[in-house]
Amino acid sequence: MTQNLDFKRNTAVGLDLGWVNSIKVNRNAADRRAASLANRRTVKKEYQAAWLIRAVQCMDLTTLGGDDTPGRVERLCMKAMRPLRADLMQALGLESLTTGAVCVYHEMITPAVKILQGRLPIAAVSTAFPAGLSSLETKIREIELSVAAGATEIDIVITRQHVLTGNWQALYDEMVAYRQACGEAHVKAILATGDLVTLDNVAKASWVCMMAGADFIKTSTGKEGVNATIPVSLVMTRAIREYYEQTGFQVGYKPAGGVSTAKSALQYLTVMKEELGNDWLQPHLFRIGASSLMTDIERQLEHYVTGAYSAAHRHAQP
């Protein structure tokens, strides 16, 4: 997997309230575009296999359950380093394959570090995930502790009330503080789009977080009633594209929550390719937050290789 050697990490560019307040999203147009993507015929055969392998490379393999244990996280990490069986790897002509990262709670960073030993990024959810309702001081300290424990990426949650009340300065200041606390660790800003009510709010929150230096913008915690959707993804990726055109900074995108089938993963890959281009189809600019998705991708790849589907329970679960 090669990355763009000219890649420049996003930095805070200052809050332009005039621009943010002028943002309007055409909901009907977004829905029509989303429907056209959903109804399109997907890629088949060797092309589908290649796209599914790319989905694996761009996956944040995730466990965020209240019943997580060190043993479960260790299994997750082993799966992340070897997501496909050796026979499938050989049949597909792959010498090596890993997911983009693993994503865990703070308390599970240590067992992840023990297994991965720097071979894959460790993303930790932070800032009072998933609701984000604790003091700023507490959330900043949580980030600092996760980075010290070995997390190389921090998935923060924004304070939704700042969006819902239109307090863009407060959201910007919060995001700047999170970015500073992360230091060299990259920060993904979770917008919790299912809580933001309108696509206008999604677009504005995307812009404010990017202006404040977010490395990625991410749809959801996976805990909201509505998580990643194609219309929301269109709004967020188009914000990323226009931000790049205005600033020269490439910001990554991460749909999360409900992306559980190979078919849905292909839809998000299509959005990235058509809205942002091939440069964004790399793990440093695209991630899929998922837990059960790996099982369906492995089943689809096995069908491509053997011509038969196996039961989901035959595939290793983290």
Side-chain angles (χ1 to χ4, degrees), residues 39-204:
N39 294 330
R40 183 177 303 176
R41 292 183 64 187
T42 59
V43 290
K44 300 294 183 182
K45 298 184 179 179
E46 67 270 21
Y47 301 104
Q48 183 183 81
W51 277 59
L52 291 178
I53 291 166
R54 180 53 53 92
V56 172
Q57 294 170 318
C58 294
M59 188 184 303
D60 279 1
L61 195 59
T62 301
T63 183
L64 296 172
D67 57 351
D68 282 345
T69 63
R72 173 180 289 180
V73 170
E74 289 172 6
R75 292 192 298 273
L76 181 89
C77 293
M78 294 299 293
K79 184 68 173 176
M81 289 190 293
R82 295 184 179 179
L84 297 180
R85 299 195 317 263
D87 60 315
L88 291 180
M89 292 283 289
Q90 183 177 11
L92 292 165
L94 298 172
E95 294 184 1
S96 65
L97 179 68
T98 69
T99 65
V102 298
C103 185
V104 296
Y105 279 116
H106 169 81
E107 287 299 310
M108 295 296 120
I109 296 172
T110 297
V113 169
K114 174 185 173 183
I115 299 299
L116 295 177
Q117 298 181 3
R119 287 173 286 188
L120 281 181
I122 298 171
V125 295
S126 194
T127 62
F129 179 96
L133 293 177
S134 65
S135 71
L136 181 62
E137 292 79 9
T138 298
K139 291 186 280 190
I140 293 297
R141 185 58 180 151
E142 186 179 353
I143 291 173
E144 293 170 344
L145 289 171
S146 290
V147 172
T152 53
E153 300 175 0
I154 303 293
D155 289 27
I156 65 93
V157 289
I158 66 169
T159 302
R160 278 74 122 183
Q161 66 175 323
H162 295 333
V163 179
L164 297 174
T165 60
N167 192 345
W168 305 116
Q169 186 67 58
L171 178 60
Y172 178 85
D173 292 343
E174 174 184 79
M175 189 68 234
V176 167
Y178 292 159
R179 167 65 192 277
Q180 290 175 344
C182 286
E184 294 302 310
H186 282 214
V187 57
K188 306 190 197 87
I190 307 173
L191 305 187
T193 54
D195 290 344
L196 299 189
V197 183
T198 69
L199 291 182
D200 284 358
N201 280 344
V202 170
K204 291 176 180 180

